[in-house]
Amino acid sequence: MSWVDRFFSTIASRLPTNNPPANYPYPMAREKNFDEILADIRAITTRVELIVEEIPAPQKLAPFAFAMTADTSDDIATARFVLLHDPDGQEGWGGNFRCVTFVRAEVDHEMASDPIVANVGWSWLIESLEKFGCQYVQPSGTVTRVASASFGTLGERADDSELEVRASWTPTDGSAIAEHVRAWLHLLEQCAGLEPIPHGVTPLTRSNLTQ
């Protein structure tokens, strides 16, 4: 099993499994084929602070899969996204697509120590999905805050504080998967503390996904 398979299998094992039974299939719009969906994703432009790359997708979780990474140019935050597609659906998905995501960002120690930061991290995900009009069901995930201090021979190392969001959900509109990728990128921007781009301002962008 490759590191990518192990990575996303680990995410899947850590996500809550007590979702209520889904009444599958949910009504879905006309779906694009998987190649069309990937073309939409690869055409996404991102703000210049983000470096986005396609990586090998896990091979054993679904008949079709796609994976990518995103990192901030200052190395403050990193993220992973995988899209799974099974035309027959899978138990627990409630549909025939599944987005599995991971975002980790350095945060200041005060933020990491705040007991409500986990709720904030989850609300950023939901707000990002709403911002891009994503239709979805069966969301699940975990938000972890980590604050560590070093001692002894490592005593000179600066304290580390991180926020980590792991989540998965089922898109119900197969023609708009790219919007879910945009929502994930927006979540990364929020976790990394990137300033919102003012309305009416055209940002510097990277042209498309690096393969």
Side-chain angles (χ1 to χ4, degrees), residues 35 41 47 52 57 93 100-101 110 131 143-144 177 188 195:
D35 287 339
I41 293 173
R47 54 193 295 170
V52 183
W93 285 12
V100 182
T101 64
E110 182 179 357
K131 176 181 175 67
V143 179
T144 306
I177 300 296
L188 172 61
E195 292 292 333

Side-chain angles (χ1 to χ4, degrees), residues 22-173:
N23 295 319
Y24 177 75
Y26 287 89
M28 299 187 72
R30 180 266 172 188
E31 293 181 9
K32 298 180 178 181
N33 64 47
F34 204 67
D35 287 339
E36 290 175 315
I37 291 171
L38 297 191
D40 289 344
I41 293 173
R42 288 167 176 154
I44 293 174
T45 58
T46 65
R47 54 193 295 170
V48 72
E49 297 96 332
L50 300 184
I51 301 169
V52 183
E53 297 180 335
E54 185 173 338
I55 60 174
Q59 299 298 310
K60 298 181 180 180
L61 302 180
F64 300 91
F66 170 82
M68 58 193 296
T69 65
D71 300 275
T72 57
S73 56
D74 59 6
D75 294 325
I76 291 295
T78 186
R80 304 290 184 270
F81 179 95
V82 64
L83 173 66
L84 304 174
H85 175 49
D86 187 333
D88 297 325
Q90 292 192 17
E91 184 178 358
W93 285 12
N96 52 24
F97 291 93
R98 191 71 176 173
C99 295
V100 182
T101 64
F102 165 84
V103 176
R104 183 177 65 233
E106 296 179 17
V107 296
D108 61 58
H109 190 73
E110 182 179 357
M111 181 178 181
S113 301
D114 192 325
I116 71 167
V117 72
N119 292 333
V120 171
W122 185 254
S123 70
W124 283 345
L125 168 65
I126 301 304
E127 290 168 3
S128 295
L129 292 168
E130 292 177 351
K131 176 181 175 67
F132 290 91
C134 299
Q135 301 176 32
Y136 64 95
V137 295
Q138 301 292 84
S140 62
T142 61
V143 179
T144 306
R145 52 192 176 95
V146 178
S148 61
S150 301
F151 301 93
T153 58
L154 299 178
E156 294 182 358
R157 179 181 296 179
D159 292 348
D160 295 322
S161 300
E162 294 180 336
L163 178 68
E164 181 180 280
V165 181
R166 298 174 184 261
S168 68
W169 63 89
T170 296
T172 58
D173 183 354

